[in-house]
Amino acid sequence: MASYAIIFFLISSLLLLRAVSAVEYTVTSNAGGTPGGNRFDSQIGADYCRQTLVEASGFIWSIFRQNTAADRRNVQSVSLLIDRDYDGVAFANNNRIHVSANYIAGYNGDVKREITGVLYHEMVHIWQWNGNGGAPGWLIEGFADYIRLKAGYIPRHWVAPGGGTSWEEGYDKTARFMDYLEGRRSGFVSELNRRIRNGYSPDYFVQLQGKAVDELWAEYKAAFGNRD
């Protein structure tokens, strides 16, 4: 019986790898000669980033349990651009991820690990469903940081489990909450992502967890001593 499970896992993994490989991933630096561009070339590199995009896609699909093309967004190519004149951190738009060379230049720490985490976060925006634009921003960013959390690339400044004042704060606060809810019901995150394919309703929390989101948040805070 165990051997059949292993064979199924290997076949599923092979099919997933083939699907990931079918997507075209490109990396372009527009910051050559700048401090950030030079640090990108010497400490991170285009080849590493391209491989990270590939690995992040497979990881995201596995977390979202998107085993077939019908489960996923129809994305044929993903581009990563290292931008010279952008002062933020990163953003994704139209299957393009933009990362700030200024952020790379100024980051104090292991910049390769940090950018890996940033890429995992931004790749979620490439693949996640967003309720045809109707899903709230806190949930969209919470999904992205949840994937970053599960991939093991969280930065030092994140809140600890139980941190935050509202589930609607997004990013790390919402990601920690989602991790709690996943522990409460395995498959919650993947099912919630599936349900917001065409729209969003706060009732999804009731349907999947049996309680309204504000009740769940109160339980979450209590479970970790109501940390702020």
Side-chain angles (χ1 to χ4, degrees):
M1 197 71 175
S3 61
Y4 286 114
I6 293 172
I7 292 172
F8 177 78
F9 173 78
L10 292 175
I11 292 174
S12 298
S13 299
L14 180 61
L15 292 174
L16 187 64
L17 179 61
R18 184 177 298 173
V20 171
S21 300
V23 180
E24 180 182 7
Y25 300 89
T26 60
V27 179
T28 303
S29 175
N30 298 318
T34 69
N38 292 339
R39 193 178 189 191
F40 173 78
D41 290 338
S42 64
Q43 298 184 31
I44 306 171
D47 290 343
Y48 174 80
C49 285
R50 183 185 180 281
Q51 184 60 34
T52 298
L53 298 180
V54 172
E55 293 173 357
S57 291
F59 186 78
I60 292 162
W61 295 356
S62 67
I63 294 291
F64 283 163
R65 302 185 183 183
Q66 296 177 325
N67 298 318
T68 69
D71 298 327
R72 303 185 290 266
R73 292 186 60 234
N74 181 21
V75 175
Q76 302 299 315
S77 63
V78 179
S79 300
L80 169 62
L81 304 173
I82 309 301
D83 288 341
R84 175 188 297 263
D85 299 319
Y86 171 50
D87 288 328
V89 178
F91 69 94
N93 184 47
N94 293 328
N95 301 331
R96 290 187 173 187
I97 297 172
H98 299 258
V99 174
S100 167
N102 292 336
Y103 182 72
I104 293 174
Y107 184 77
N108 182 21
D110 185 345
V111 71
K112 188 172 187 178
R113 185 181 186 279
E114 168 65 7
I115 295 304
T116 302
V118 168
L119 293 182
Y120 268 79
H121 176 107
E122 297 302 333
M123 280 300 295
V124 178
H125 294 324
I126 301 295
W127 294 115
Q128 71 188 155
W129 298 112
N130 66 1
N132 286 324
W138 62 263
L139 183 59
I140 294 300
E141 298 299 342
F143 269 120
D145 266 358
Y146 173 80
I147 296 292
R148 183 172 181 173
L149 169 66
K150 303 313 287 184
Y153 292 108
I154 65 173
R156 295 185 299 271
H157 66 265
W158 269 32
V159 297
T165 59
S166 169
W167 67 90
E168 294 182 328
E169 288 184 89
Y171 296 97
D172 55 334
K173 283 83 168 181
T174 303
R176 294 291 196 187
F177 181 45
M178 292 176 73
D179 194 34
Y180 169 79
L181 296 178
E182 179 69 21
R184 202 173 180 274
R185 179 195 165 175
S186 179
F188 165 76
V189 169
S190 62
E191 180 61 21
L192 182 59
N193 180 66
R194 187 187 69 80
R195 291 194 181 207
I196 65 172
R197 182 167 185 163
N198 297 310
Y200 169 75
S201 170
D203 286 342
Y204 292 158
F205 286 87
V206 178
Q207 295 166 17
L208 295 173
Q209 294 281 352
K211 295 182 180 181
V213 65
D214 56 343
E215 294 180 83
L216 293 165
W217 178 259
E219 289 186 5
Y220 166 66
K221 294 294 291 183
F224 290 96
N226 291 300
R227 296 176 184 170
D228 290 328

